Amino acid sequence: MEQQPAASIFLALQESALGHLMRSSPALYPAVEILHILGFVVLVGSILALDLRLLGWGRAIPIAPMAKLLLPLSRIGFLLAISMGFLLFSADASHVVRNPAFQAKLLLIAAALVNVVIAHAGQWRRVALWHEEAPAGAKVTALVSLLLWLGAVCAGRLIAYL
C-alpha cells in the first residue's frame, strides 16, 4: 500500500536528524519533556489564576493589573510548551500523530486559541473599565478557557496510555 503524503511528512520528521537526536540522546528527551511540562505549568497556571479571578474568585485583586502580569507569562509558557512539544513530537511523529489523545489535545489547544481571539476581540478590549466584576461575556470565555486548557492537559497526559 502506498503511503499518504501527510504520513510521509511525519515519517520524514521522525527520521530527520532532529528525530534521531531526540531518540538517541539519553538526557535530551527527558530534559525537553521537563521544559515542556514547565511551559504548560506556566501557561495553564497563569490562565487558571486569571480565569478564576474573572469568574469571581479573589475579588480583592484588581483584574487589569493581574491580566497585565499574567498574560505575558501565559505567552511565554505557550511558546515554551509548543516548541518543546514539537521536539518531543519529532521523536515519534509517525505514531503519535495517529494517537487519539494527541489529536484531542491539538483540537482542544486550537479551540482554546480561538477562545482567546474571541475574548480579546470582544470583552478584553474594555478591561480597563472593569472594576471588581468582569462582564458576563468575559466570564463565559473564562469558563470555556478553563475547560479547554485543562482538557488539553488531560489529553496530553493520556498520550502515553493510548
Side-chain angles (χ1 to χ4, degrees):
M1 185 165 32
E2 190 174 313
Q3 217 173 23
Q4 296 178 351
S8 64
I9 292 169
F10 299 117
L11 184 58
L13 173 61
Q14 178 179 310
E15 295 305 319
S16 70
L18 177 62
H20 281 288
L21 178 63
M22 287 301 298
R23 285 189 306 279
S24 64
S25 172
L28 184 59
Y29 193 95
V32 169
E33 189 163 20
I34 288 168
L35 289 172
H36 181 64
I37 292 167
L38 288 175
F40 73 70
V41 164
V42 170
L43 166 67
V44 176
S46 59
I47 289 170
L48 180 70
L50 187 55
D51 287 346
L52 288 174
R53 174 59 192 94
L54 294 177
L55 291 170
W57 291 29
R59 291 179 194 268
I61 303 168
I63 296 171
M66 185 179 187
K68 189 174 182 178
L69 172 70
L70 293 180
L71 289 176
L73 273 178
S74 68
R75 290 182 194 107
I76 290 167
F78 180 77
L79 291 174
L80 183 60
I82 203 82
S83 59
M84 295 302 108
F86 177 77
L87 293 176
L88 295 170
F89 178 68
S90 73
D92 196 22
S94 68
H95 295 100
V96 173
V97 75
R98 295 188 309 255
N99 185 310
F102 178 76
Q103 294 167 357
K105 178 181 177 176
L106 291 185
L107 285 172
L108 288 163
I109 291 170
L113 293 174
V114 168
N115 187 57
V116 167
V117 170
I118 290 168
H120 286 270
Q123 296 292 328
W124 276 96
R125 297 171 123 195
R126 296 178 295 281
V127 69
L129 302 176
W130 303 351
H131 297 289
E132 291 102 32
E133 186 79 17
K139 289 181 180 183
V140 169
T141 58
L143 182 60
V144 170
S145 171
L146 279 174
L147 295 173
L148 292 172
W149 286 113
L150 292 175
V153 168
C154 293
R157 188 62 200 116
L158 289 173
I159 292 170
Y161 300 101
L162 298 179

